[in-house]
Amino acid sequence: MEKKKKLRCPLGIPGGIIAGLIGLAGIIINIVNFNTFNLLISVALLLLAMPFVRVTMMVHGANDRLNNLEQKIK
């Protein structure tokens, strides 16, 4: 019988997605209102959100591989 994969939702992924959506909404709103300073902040938030999601996924993938190696050693 095969073991089922763990179902979990790493906290970085929803946080990164929310930050990306807020950044994208901020970009649209600030373009309409011609607000350049807040537009730069929204772009920065969007650019920070994407790597945040990727790093979180990489860390959790590495933890899963370590758990598999530890189980094989036992």
Short mmCIF file of all heavy atoms in Angstrom, two decimals:
data_model
loop_
_atom_site.label_atom_id
_atom_site.label_comp_id
_atom_site.label_asym_id
_atom_site.label_seq_id
_atom_site.Cartn_x
_atom_site.Cartn_y
_atom_site.Cartn_z
N MET A 1 0.84 -1.18 0.00
CA MET A 1 0.00 0.00 0.00
C MET A 1 0.89 1.25 0.00
O MET A 1 1.84 1.34 0.76
CB MET A 1 -0.90 -0.03 1.24
CG MET A 1 -1.85 1.12 1.30
SD MET A 1 -2.91 1.03 2.75
CE MET A 1 -4.43 0.68 1.94
N GLU A 2 0.58 2.19 -0.86
CA GLU A 2 1.36 3.41 -0.97
C GLU A 2 0.99 4.39 0.13
O GLU A 2 -0.16 4.48 0.53
CB GLU A 2 1.10 4.08 -2.31
CG GLU A 2 1.67 3.33 -3.49
CD GLU A 2 1.45 4.10 -4.77
OE1 GLU A 2 1.41 5.34 -4.73
OE2 GLU A 2 1.30 3.44 -5.80
N LYS A 3 2.03 5.09 0.60
CA LYS A 3 1.77 6.15 1.57
C LYS A 3 1.27 7.39 0.84
O LYS A 3 1.77 7.74 -0.22
CB LYS A 3 3.04 6.50 2.34
CG LYS A 3 3.46 5.47 3.33
CD LYS A 3 4.64 6.00 4.10
CE LYS A 3 5.09 4.99 5.14
NZ LYS A 3 6.23 5.48 5.91
N LYS A 4 0.28 8.03 1.41
CA LYS A 4 -0.22 9.27 0.82
C LYS A 4 0.70 10.40 1.22
O LYS A 4 1.26 10.41 2.31
CB LYS A 4 -1.64 9.55 1.29
CG LYS A 4 -2.65 8.59 0.74
CD LYS A 4 -4.05 9.00 1.12
CE LYS A 4 -5.05 8.04 0.55
NZ LYS A 4 -6.42 8.41 0.91
N LYS A 5 0.85 11.36 0.32
CA LYS A 5 1.65 12.53 0.63
C LYS A 5 0.96 13.37 1.70
O LYS A 5 -0.26 13.40 1.79
CB LYS A 5 1.85 13.39 -0.62
CG LYS A 5 2.95 12.94 -1.51
CD LYS A 5 3.17 13.97 -2.59
CE LYS A 5 4.64 14.15 -2.79
NZ LYS A 5 4.93 15.16 -3.78
N LYS A 6 1.77 14.04 2.47
CA LYS A 6 1.22 14.92 3.50
C LYS A 6 0.51 16.10 2.84
O LYS A 6 1.04 16.72 1.92
CB LYS A 6 2.33 15.46 4.38
CG LYS A 6 3.06 14.42 5.17
CD LYS A 6 4.19 15.08 5.94
CE LYS A 6 5.10 14.04 6.52
NZ LYS A 6 6.27 14.64 7.16
N LEU A 7 -0.67 16.36 3.29
CA LEU A 7 -1.38 17.54 2.82
C LEU A 7 -1.14 18.67 3.80
O LEU A 7 -1.50 18.58 4.96
CB LEU A 7 -2.88 17.26 2.70
CG LEU A 7 -3.29 16.22 1.67
CD1 LEU A 7 -4.79 15.98 1.75
CD2 LEU A 7 -2.91 16.69 0.29
N ARG A 8 -0.50 19.70 3.33
CA ARG A 8 -0.27 20.84 4.20
C ARG A 8 -0.20 22.09 3.36
O ARG A 8 0.04 22.04 2.16
CB ARG A 8 1.00 20.66 5.00
CG ARG A 8 2.23 20.59 4.16
CD ARG A 8 3.42 20.39 5.02
NE ARG A 8 4.49 19.91 4.17
CZ ARG A 8 5.75 20.10 4.43
NH1 ARG A 8 6.09 20.74 5.51
NH2 ARG A 8 6.66 19.66 3.63
N CYS A 9 -0.39 23.16 4.00
CA CYS A 9 -0.36 24.45 3.32
C CYS A 9 0.69 25.31 4.01
O CYS A 9 0.41 25.89 5.06
CB CYS A 9 -1.74 25.11 3.38
SG CYS A 9 -1.82 26.61 2.43
N PRO A 10 1.92 25.36 3.47
CA PRO A 10 2.95 26.17 4.11
C PRO A 10 2.50 27.63 4.20
O PRO A 10 1.91 28.15 3.25
CB PRO A 10 4.15 26.02 3.18
CG PRO A 10 3.88 24.79 2.41
CD PRO A 10 2.40 24.67 2.29
N LEU A 11 2.79 28.24 5.30
CA LEU A 11 2.29 29.59 5.55
C LEU A 11 2.84 30.63 4.58
O LEU A 11 2.21 31.64 4.33
CB LEU A 11 2.61 30.02 6.98
CG LEU A 11 1.86 29.26 8.06
CD1 LEU A 11 2.33 29.73 9.42
CD2 LEU A 11 0.39 29.47 7.93
N GLY A 12 4.00 30.38 4.01
CA GLY A 12 4.57 31.36 3.10
C GLY A 12 3.82 31.47 1.80
O GLY A 12 3.81 32.52 1.16
N ILE A 13 3.20 30.40 1.38
CA ILE A 13 2.52 30.42 0.09
C ILE A 13 1.28 31.31 0.11
O ILE A 13 1.16 32.20 -0.72
CB ILE A 13 2.22 28.98 -0.39
CG1 ILE A 13 3.54 28.29 -0.67
CG2 ILE A 13 1.34 28.98 -1.61
CD1 ILE A 13 3.44 26.84 -1.01
N PRO A 14 0.34 31.13 1.06
CA PRO A 14 -0.79 32.07 1.07
C PRO A 14 -0.36 33.51 1.35
O PRO A 14 -0.91 34.45 0.77
CB PRO A 14 -1.70 31.56 2.19
CG PRO A 14 -1.27 30.19 2.47
CD PRO A 14 0.15 30.08 2.04
N GLY A 15 0.64 33.68 2.20
CA GLY A 15 1.12 35.03 2.49
C GLY A 15 1.72 35.69 1.27
O GLY A 15 1.49 36.86 1.00
N GLY A 16 2.49 34.92 0.50
CA GLY A 16 3.08 35.45 -0.72
C GLY A 16 2.04 35.77 -1.77
O GLY A 16 2.13 36.77 -2.48
N ILE A 17 1.04 34.90 -1.89
CA ILE A 17 -0.02 35.13 -2.86
C ILE A 17 -0.82 36.37 -2.49
O ILE A 17 -1.14 37.20 -3.36
CB ILE A 17 -0.93 33.89 -2.96
CG1 ILE A 17 -0.16 32.74 -3.62
CG2 ILE A 17 -2.20 34.21 -3.75
CD1 ILE A 17 -0.88 31.42 -3.59
N ILE A 18 -1.12 36.53 -1.21
CA ILE A 18 -1.86 37.72 -0.77
C ILE A 18 -1.03 38.98 -1.02
O ILE A 18 -1.55 39.99 -1.50
CB ILE A 18 -2.27 37.59 0.71
CG1 ILE A 18 -3.34 36.51 0.84
CG2 ILE A 18 -2.76 38.91 1.26
CD1 ILE A 18 -3.65 36.12 2.27
N ALA A 19 0.27 38.92 -0.71
CA ALA A 19 1.13 40.09 -0.94
C ALA A 19 1.20 40.41 -2.43
O ALA A 19 1.18 41.59 -2.82
CB ALA A 19 2.52 39.83 -0.38
N GLY A 20 1.25 39.38 -3.27
CA GLY A 20 1.27 39.61 -4.71
C GLY A 20 -0.01 40.23 -5.21
O GLY A 20 0.01 41.14 -6.04
N LEU A 21 -1.15 39.75 -4.70
CA LEU A 21 -2.44 40.32 -5.12
C LEU A 21 -2.59 41.76 -4.65
O LEU A 21 -3.11 42.61 -5.37
CB LEU A 21 -3.58 39.46 -4.59
CG LEU A 21 -3.73 38.08 -5.25
CD1 LEU A 21 -4.83 37.29 -4.56
CD2 LEU A 21 -4.01 38.23 -6.73
N ILE A 22 -2.14 42.04 -3.42
CA ILE A 22 -2.20 43.41 -2.92
C ILE A 22 -1.30 44.32 -3.75
O ILE A 22 -1.68 45.45 -4.10
CB ILE A 22 -1.82 43.47 -1.43
CG1 ILE A 22 -2.90 42.80 -0.59
CG2 ILE A 22 -1.59 44.91 -0.96
CD1 ILE A 22 -2.53 42.61 0.86
N GLY A 23 -0.10 43.83 -4.09
CA GLY A 23 0.80 44.62 -4.93
C GLY A 23 0.21 44.88 -6.30
O GLY A 23 0.29 45.99 -6.82
N LEU A 24 -0.42 43.86 -6.89
CA LEU A 24 -1.02 44.02 -8.21
C LEU A 24 -2.20 44.99 -8.17
O LEU A 24 -2.33 45.87 -9.04
CB LEU A 24 -1.49 42.66 -8.72
CG LEU A 24 -1.86 42.54 -10.18
CD1 LEU A 24 -0.66 42.90 -11.05
CD2 LEU A 24 -2.32 41.14 -10.48
N ALA A 25 -3.03 44.88 -7.14
CA ALA A 25 -4.15 45.81 -6.99
C ALA A 25 -3.63 47.24 -6.76
O ALA A 25 -4.18 48.21 -7.30
CB ALA A 25 -5.05 45.38 -5.84
N GLY A 26 -2.58 47.36 -5.96
CA GLY A 26 -1.99 48.68 -5.71
C GLY A 26 -1.44 49.30 -6.97
O GLY A 26 -1.55 50.51 -7.18
N ILE A 27 -0.83 48.47 -7.82
CA ILE A 27 -0.30 48.99 -9.09
C ILE A 27 -1.44 49.56 -9.94
O ILE A 27 -1.34 50.67 -10.47
CB ILE A 27 0.45 47.87 -9.85
CG1 ILE A 27 1.76 47.54 -9.13
CG2 ILE A 27 0.74 48.29 -11.29
CD1 ILE A 27 2.46 46.31 -9.66
N ILE A 28 -2.51 48.81 -10.05
CA ILE A 28 -3.64 49.26 -10.87
C ILE A 28 -4.25 50.54 -10.31
O ILE A 28 -4.50 51.51 -11.04
CB ILE A 28 -4.69 48.14 -10.99
CG1 ILE A 28 -4.10 46.97 -11.78
CG2 ILE A 28 -5.97 48.65 -11.64
CD1 ILE A 28 -4.92 45.71 -11.72
N ILE A 29 -4.48 50.57 -8.99
CA ILE A 29 -5.09 51.75 -8.37
C ILE A 29 -4.19 52.97 -8.51
O ILE A 29 -4.67 54.08 -8.81
CB ILE A 29 -5.42 51.46 -6.89
CG1 ILE A 29 -6.56 50.45 -6.80
CG2 ILE A 29 -5.77 52.73 -6.14
CD1 ILE A 29 -6.79 49.90 -5.40
N ASN A 30 -2.89 52.79 -8.31
CA ASN A 30 -1.98 53.93 -8.36
C ASN A 30 -1.74 54.42 -9.79
O ASN A 30 -1.44 55.60 -9.99
CB ASN A 30 -0.66 53.59 -7.68
CG ASN A 30 -0.86 53.47 -6.18
OD1 ASN A 30 -1.51 54.29 -5.56
ND2 ASN A 30 -0.32 52.42 -5.60
N ILE A 31 -1.86 53.55 -10.78
CA ILE A 31 -1.78 54.01 -12.17
C ILE A 31 -2.99 54.88 -12.51
O ILE A 31 -2.87 55.93 -13.14
CB ILE A 31 -1.65 52.82 -13.14
CG1 ILE A 31 -0.26 52.22 -13.04
CG2 ILE A 31 -1.95 53.23 -14.58
CD1 ILE A 31 -0.05 50.97 -13.86
N VAL A 32 -4.17 54.45 -12.05
CA VAL A 32 -5.39 55.21 -12.32
C VAL A 32 -5.33 56.58 -11.63
O VAL A 32 -5.75 57.60 -12.19
CB VAL A 32 -6.63 54.41 -11.86
CG1 VAL A 32 -7.88 55.27 -11.90
CG2 VAL A 32 -6.81 53.18 -12.72
N ASN A 33 -4.79 56.63 -10.41
CA ASN A 33 -4.75 57.88 -9.64
C ASN A 33 -3.48 58.69 -9.89
O ASN A 33 -3.32 59.75 -9.27
CB ASN A 33 -4.86 57.58 -8.14
CG ASN A 33 -6.22 57.04 -7.78
OD1 ASN A 33 -7.21 57.35 -8.43
ND2 ASN A 33 -6.27 56.22 -6.75
N PHE A 34 -2.57 58.23 -10.74
CA PHE A 34 -1.32 58.92 -11.05
C PHE A 34 -0.48 59.20 -9.79
O PHE A 34 0.05 60.30 -9.61
CB PHE A 34 -1.57 60.23 -11.81
CG PHE A 34 -2.31 60.04 -13.09
CD1 PHE A 34 -3.63 60.45 -13.20
CD2 PHE A 34 -1.70 59.42 -14.16
CE1 PHE A 34 -4.32 60.26 -14.38
CE2 PHE A 34 -2.39 59.23 -15.34
CZ PHE A 34 -3.71 59.65 -15.46
N ASN A 35 -0.40 58.23 -8.91
CA ASN A 35 0.36 58.37 -7.68
C ASN A 35 1.65 57.57 -7.82
O ASN A 35 1.67 56.35 -7.70
CB ASN A 35 -0.48 57.84 -6.49
CG ASN A 35 0.12 58.21 -5.17
OD1 ASN A 35 1.28 58.60 -5.09
ND2 ASN A 35 -0.67 58.06 -4.12
N THR A 36 2.77 58.26 -8.08
CA THR A 36 4.01 57.56 -8.44
C THR A 36 4.70 56.91 -7.24
O THR A 36 5.25 55.82 -7.37
CB THR A 36 4.98 58.52 -9.13
OG1 THR A 36 5.20 59.64 -8.29
CG2 THR A 36 4.43 58.96 -10.46
N PHE A 37 4.72 57.58 -6.09
CA PHE A 37 5.44 57.01 -4.94
C PHE A 37 4.80 55.71 -4.48
O PHE A 37 5.48 54.71 -4.28
CB PHE A 37 5.48 58.02 -3.78
CG PHE A 37 6.19 57.48 -2.58
CD1 PHE A 37 7.57 57.32 -2.59
CD2 PHE A 37 5.49 57.10 -1.44
CE1 PHE A 37 8.24 56.82 -1.49
CE2 PHE A 37 6.14 56.59 -0.33
CZ PHE A 37 7.53 56.45 -0.36
N ASN A 38 3.50 55.70 -4.34
CA ASN A 38 2.82 54.47 -3.92
C ASN A 38 2.87 53.41 -5.01
O ASN A 38 2.82 52.22 -4.72
CB ASN A 38 1.37 54.76 -3.53
CG ASN A 38 1.28 55.51 -2.21
OD1 ASN A 38 2.18 55.42 -1.38
ND2 ASN A 38 0.21 56.25 -2.03
N LEU A 39 2.99 53.83 -6.26
CA LEU A 39 3.15 52.87 -7.35
C LEU A 39 4.46 52.12 -7.20
O LEU A 39 4.51 50.90 -7.37
CB LEU A 39 3.10 53.58 -8.69
CG LEU A 39 3.31 52.72 -9.93
CD1 LEU A 39 2.20 51.71 -10.06
CD2 LEU A 39 3.40 53.59 -11.17
N LEU A 40 5.52 52.83 -6.84
CA LEU A 40 6.81 52.18 -6.62
C LEU A 40 6.75 51.19 -5.45
O LEU A 40 7.33 50.11 -5.51
CB LEU A 40 7.90 53.23 -6.37
CG LEU A 40 8.27 54.10 -7.57
CD1 LEU A 40 9.25 55.17 -7.16
CD2 LEU A 40 8.84 53.24 -8.68
N ILE A 41 6.05 51.56 -4.41
CA ILE A 41 5.90 50.66 -3.26
C ILE A 41 5.11 49.41 -3.65
O ILE A 41 5.47 48.29 -3.25
CB ILE A 41 5.23 51.40 -2.08
CG1 ILE A 41 6.19 52.47 -1.54
CG2 ILE A 41 4.84 50.43 -0.98
CD1 ILE A 41 5.59 53.35 -0.49
N SER A 42 4.08 49.57 -4.46
CA SER A 42 3.29 48.42 -4.90
C SER A 42 4.10 47.49 -5.80
O SER A 42 4.00 46.27 -5.69
CB SER A 42 2.05 48.90 -5.65
OG SER A 42 1.21 49.63 -4.78
N VAL A 43 4.91 48.06 -6.67
CA VAL A 43 5.78 47.24 -7.53
C VAL A 43 6.78 46.48 -6.67
O VAL A 43 7.04 45.29 -6.90
CB VAL A 43 6.48 48.11 -8.59
CG1 VAL A 43 7.56 47.34 -9.32
CG2 VAL A 43 5.47 48.66 -9.57
N ALA A 44 7.36 47.14 -5.68
CA ALA A 44 8.31 46.48 -4.79
C ALA A 44 7.64 45.34 -4.02
O ALA A 44 8.23 44.26 -3.85
CB ALA A 44 8.92 47.49 -3.82
N LEU A 45 6.43 45.55 -3.56
CA LEU A 45 5.70 44.50 -2.85
C LEU A 45 5.44 43.30 -3.76
O LEU A 45 5.61 42.15 -3.35
CB LEU A 45 4.38 45.04 -2.31
CG LEU A 45 3.51 44.07 -1.51
CD1 LEU A 45 4.24 43.60 -0.27
CD2 LEU A 45 2.20 44.73 -1.14
N LEU A 46 5.08 43.57 -5.00
CA LEU A 46 4.84 42.48 -5.95
C LEU A 46 6.14 41.72 -6.23
O LEU A 46 6.14 40.49 -6.27
CB LEU A 46 4.27 43.03 -7.25
CG LEU A 46 3.95 42.01 -8.34
CD1 LEU A 46 2.82 41.10 -7.88
CD2 LEU A 46 3.60 42.69 -9.63
N LEU A 47 7.24 42.43 -6.39
CA LEU A 47 8.52 41.77 -6.68
C LEU A 47 9.06 41.00 -5.48
O LEU A 47 9.81 40.04 -5.66
CB LEU A 47 9.54 42.81 -7.16
CG LEU A 47 9.24 43.43 -8.53
CD1 LEU A 47 10.27 44.50 -8.85
CD2 LEU A 47 9.18 42.38 -9.61
N LEU A 48 8.71 41.41 -4.28
CA LEU A 48 9.15 40.68 -3.08
C LEU A 48 8.28 39.46 -2.82
O LEU A 48 8.74 38.48 -2.24
CB LEU A 48 9.11 41.59 -1.85
CG LEU A 48 10.21 42.62 -1.75
CD1 LEU A 48 9.96 43.56 -0.58
CD2 LEU A 48 11.55 41.95 -1.60
N ALA A 49 7.04 39.49 -3.24
CA ALA A 49 6.12 38.39 -2.95
C ALA A 49 6.48 37.14 -3.73
O ALA A 49 6.39 36.02 -3.22
CB ALA A 49 4.69 38.81 -3.27
N MET A 50 6.89 37.30 -4.98
CA MET A 50 7.16 36.14 -5.82
C MET A 50 8.32 35.28 -5.31
O MET A 50 8.17 34.06 -5.17
CB MET A 50 7.38 36.59 -7.26
CG MET A 50 6.12 37.17 -7.89
SD MET A 50 6.28 37.68 -9.59
CE MET A 50 7.25 39.17 -9.44
N PRO A 51 9.48 35.84 -4.96
CA PRO A 51 10.55 35.00 -4.41
C PRO A 51 10.20 34.42 -3.04
O PRO A 51 10.67 33.34 -2.68
CB PRO A 51 11.75 35.93 -4.31
CG PRO A 51 11.44 37.10 -5.12
CD PRO A 51 9.95 37.19 -5.24
N PHE A 52 9.38 35.13 -2.28
CA PHE A 52 8.98 34.64 -0.96
C PHE A 52 8.25 33.31 -1.08
O PHE A 52 8.49 32.38 -0.32
CB PHE A 52 8.10 35.70 -0.28
CG PHE A 52 7.76 35.40 1.14
CD1 PHE A 52 8.73 35.43 2.12
CD2 PHE A 52 6.46 35.08 1.49
CE1 PHE A 52 8.42 35.16 3.44
CE2 PHE A 52 6.14 34.80 2.80
CZ PHE A 52 7.12 34.84 3.78
N VAL A 53 7.36 33.20 -2.05
CA VAL A 53 6.63 31.96 -2.29
C VAL A 53 7.59 30.86 -2.71
O VAL A 53 7.54 29.74 -2.22
CB VAL A 53 5.53 32.17 -3.35
CG1 VAL A 53 4.89 30.86 -3.75
CG2 VAL A 53 4.48 33.13 -2.84
N ARG A 54 8.49 31.17 -3.63
CA ARG A 54 9.43 30.16 -4.15
C ARG A 54 10.36 29.64 -3.06
O ARG A 54 10.60 28.44 -2.96
CB ARG A 54 10.23 30.77 -5.30
CG ARG A 54 11.22 29.84 -5.90
CD ARG A 54 10.54 28.72 -6.64
NE ARG A 54 11.54 27.80 -7.13
CZ ARG A 54 11.40 26.49 -7.14
NH1 ARG A 54 10.31 25.95 -6.69
NH2 ARG A 54 12.34 25.72 -7.60
N VAL A 55 10.89 30.53 -2.24
CA VAL A 55 11.80 30.10 -1.17
C VAL A 55 11.07 29.22 -0.17
O VAL A 55 11.60 28.20 0.28
CB VAL A 55 12.44 31.34 -0.48
CG1 VAL A 55 13.12 30.96 0.81
CG2 VAL A 55 13.41 32.01 -1.43
N THR A 56 9.85 29.57 0.17
CA THR A 56 9.07 28.76 1.10
C THR A 56 8.83 27.37 0.54
O THR A 56 8.95 26.37 1.25
CB THR A 56 7.73 29.45 1.41
OG1 THR A 56 7.99 30.75 1.90
CG2 THR A 56 6.96 28.68 2.46
N MET A 57 8.51 27.29 -0.74
CA MET A 57 8.29 25.98 -1.36
C MET A 57 9.58 25.16 -1.37
O MET A 57 9.56 23.95 -1.14
CB MET A 57 7.76 26.16 -2.78
CG MET A 57 6.34 26.67 -2.83
SD MET A 57 5.78 27.10 -4.49
CE MET A 57 6.03 25.59 -5.36
N MET A 58 10.72 25.80 -1.62
CA MET A 58 11.99 25.09 -1.63
C MET A 58 12.34 24.55 -0.26
O MET A 58 12.81 23.42 -0.12
CB MET A 58 13.11 26.01 -2.13
CG MET A 58 13.07 26.27 -3.60
SD MET A 58 14.24 27.52 -4.19
CE MET A 58 15.70 27.20 -3.28
N VAL A 59 12.12 25.34 0.78
CA VAL A 59 12.43 24.91 2.14
C VAL A 59 11.57 23.72 2.54
O VAL A 59 12.06 22.74 3.10
CB VAL A 59 12.25 26.08 3.13
CG1 VAL A 59 12.26 25.61 4.57
CG2 VAL A 59 13.33 27.13 2.91
N HIS A 60 10.29 23.76 2.22
CA HIS A 60 9.42 22.65 2.58
C HIS A 60 9.73 21.40 1.76
O HIS A 60 9.63 20.28 2.26
CB HIS A 60 7.95 23.05 2.44
CG HIS A 60 7.50 23.93 3.55
ND1 HIS A 60 7.24 23.48 4.81
CD2 HIS A 60 7.29 25.26 3.59
CE1 HIS A 60 6.88 24.48 5.57
NE2 HIS A 60 6.91 25.58 4.86
N GLY A 61 10.14 21.57 0.52
CA GLY A 61 10.56 20.43 -0.29
C GLY A 61 11.81 19.78 0.29
O GLY A 61 11.93 18.55 0.33
N ALA A 62 12.76 20.61 0.75
CA ALA A 62 13.97 20.07 1.36
C ALA A 62 13.65 19.35 2.66
O ALA A 62 14.23 18.29 2.95
CB ALA A 62 14.96 21.21 1.62
N ASN A 63 12.72 19.88 3.44
CA ASN A 63 12.33 19.20 4.68
C ASN A 63 11.68 17.85 4.41
O ASN A 63 11.92 16.88 5.13
CB ASN A 63 11.36 20.07 5.49
CG ASN A 63 12.06 21.19 6.21
OD1 ASN A 63 13.25 21.12 6.45
ND2 ASN A 63 11.32 22.23 6.55
N ASP A 64 10.89 17.76 3.35
CA ASP A 64 10.28 16.48 2.98
C ASP A 64 11.34 15.47 2.59
O ASP A 64 11.28 14.30 2.98
CB ASP A 64 9.29 16.67 1.84
CG ASP A 64 8.03 17.39 2.27
OD1 ASP A 64 7.75 17.43 3.49
OD2 ASP A 64 7.34 17.94 1.39
N ARG A 65 12.34 15.90 1.81
CA ARG A 65 13.41 14.98 1.42
C ARG A 65 14.22 14.52 2.62
O ARG A 65 14.61 13.36 2.70
CB ARG A 65 14.30 15.62 0.39
CG ARG A 65 13.66 15.62 -1.00
CD ARG A 65 14.53 16.28 -1.99
NE ARG A 65 14.33 17.71 -1.73
CZ ARG A 65 14.73 18.69 -2.50
NH1 ARG A 65 15.39 18.44 -3.58
NH2 ARG A 65 14.48 19.93 -2.21
N LEU A 66 14.47 15.43 3.56
CA LEU A 66 15.20 15.04 4.77
C LEU A 66 14.40 14.02 5.59
O LEU A 66 14.96 13.07 6.13
CB LEU A 66 15.52 16.26 5.64
CG LEU A 66 16.66 17.14 5.15
CD1 LEU A 66 16.77 18.38 6.02
CD2 LEU A 66 17.96 16.37 5.19
N ASN A 67 13.10 14.23 5.68
CA ASN A 67 12.26 13.27 6.41
C ASN A 67 12.30 11.90 5.75
O ASN A 67 12.36 10.87 6.43
CB ASN A 67 10.82 13.77 6.49
CG ASN A 67 10.67 14.94 7.43
OD1 ASN A 67 11.52 15.16 8.29
ND2 ASN A 67 9.62 15.72 7.26
N ASN A 68 12.28 11.86 4.41
CA ASN A 68 12.36 10.58 3.70
C ASN A 68 13.69 9.89 3.95
O ASN A 68 13.74 8.67 4.16
CB ASN A 68 12.14 10.78 2.20
CG ASN A 68 10.71 11.13 1.88
OD1 ASN A 68 9.81 10.86 2.65
ND2 ASN A 68 10.50 11.74 0.72
N LEU A 69 14.79 10.66 3.94
CA LEU A 69 16.10 10.07 4.22
C LEU A 69 16.18 9.54 5.64
O LEU A 69 16.75 8.46 5.88
CB LEU A 69 17.20 11.10 3.97
CG LEU A 69 17.47 11.46 2.52
CD1 LEU A 69 18.48 12.59 2.44
CD2 LEU A 69 17.99 10.24 1.77
N GLU A 70 15.63 10.28 6.60
CA GLU A 70 15.65 9.82 7.98
C GLU A 70 14.85 8.53 8.15
O GLU A 70 15.25 7.64 8.91
CB GLU A 70 15.09 10.90 8.91
CG GLU A 70 16.02 12.09 9.09
CD GLU A 70 15.39 13.20 9.89
OE1 GLU A 70 14.18 13.12 10.22
OE2 GLU A 70 16.10 14.19 10.18
N GLN A 71 13.73 8.41 7.44
CA GLN A 71 12.95 7.17 7.54
C GLN A 71 13.67 6.00 6.90
O GLN A 71 13.59 4.87 7.39
CB GLN A 71 11.58 7.37 6.86
CG GLN A 71 10.66 8.26 7.65
CD GLN A 71 9.35 8.52 6.94
OE1 GLN A 71 9.14 8.06 5.82
NE2 GLN A 71 8.46 9.28 7.58
N LYS A 72 14.41 6.24 5.82
CA LYS A 72 15.18 5.16 5.19
C LYS A 72 16.32 4.70 6.07
O LYS A 72 16.66 3.51 6.07
CB LYS A 72 15.71 5.61 3.84
CG LYS A 72 14.64 5.73 2.78
CD LYS A 72 15.23 6.17 1.46
CE LYS A 72 14.13 6.33 0.43
NZ LYS A 72 14.66 6.78 -0.86
N ILE A 73 16.93 5.62 6.83
CA ILE A 73 18.03 5.26 7.72
C ILE A 73 17.51 4.38 8.86
O ILE A 73 18.17 3.43 9.27
CB ILE A 73 18.72 6.52 8.25
CG1 ILE A 73 19.49 7.20 7.11
CG2 ILE A 73 19.66 6.18 9.39
CD1 ILE A 73 20.07 8.54 7.48
N LYS A 74 16.32 4.67 9.36
CA LYS A 74 15.75 3.89 10.46
C LYS A 74 15.40 2.54 9.93
O LYS A 74 15.57 1.51 10.28
CB LYS A 74 14.51 4.56 11.01
CG LYS A 74 14.79 5.81 11.75
CD LYS A 74 13.51 6.44 12.28
CE LYS A 74 13.81 7.76 12.96
NZ LYS A 74 12.62 8.42 13.45
#
